[in-house]
Amino acid sequence: MAGNDLVRLIEAIDRLATGGFAMGADWQAVHDICQRHEGEQPFDWGHALCHRIEGDDWNSDYWYRRAGKMRGSGTMADEWAAMRAELSAKA
């Protein structure tokens, strides 16, 4: 796993969170990072979050399964807080 890209993923999702998890350039940046690392658990989890933000539950759930995770039932901010803690420990 590319450690620098994991740090970039965390930073990109932080920017996305600051913007209220809105679709746009920050969302696209997260999605692009995740696509470059398809098949790696942290990035598949980030991919799942992207599609949850997009509102595409089917696609989101596919990526959650690939990441070995379940879709969060709370807010995006809640999910990101838990996700960030886990990803930061791996970075």
Side-chain angles (χ1 to χ4, degrees):
M1 175 183 347
N4 287 340
D5 276 354
L6 186 53
V7 170
R8 283 196 261 294
L9 176 63
I10 293 166
E11 291 170 349
I13 301 177
D14 279 343
R15 287 189 301 276
L16 184 60
T18 298
F21 299 99
M23 296 293 297
D26 291 328
W27 181 94
Q28 190 62 54
V30 172
H31 193 258
D32 290 347
I33 293 167
C34 293
Q35 283 190 311
R36 284 196 300 273
H37 293 278
E38 185 175 326
E40 297 176 47
Q41 187 271 342
F43 298 94
D44 288 350
W45 194 8
H47 206 155
L49 184 66
C50 279
H51 289 292
R52 180 177 177 210
I53 291 164
E54 184 182 34
D56 185 347
D57 291 342
W58 182 91
N59 201 3
S60 178
D61 288 343
Y62 167 81
W63 289 105
Y64 280 112
R65 283 190 304 277
R66 293 219 22 191
K69 300 291 182 178
M70 300 217 24
R71 182 174 2 135
S73 59
T75 67
M76 296 294 175
D78 292 339
E79 183 168 357
W80 173 233
M83 188 177 175
R84 191 181 199 291
E86 188 173 324
L87 295 182
S88 293
K90 294 178 180 185

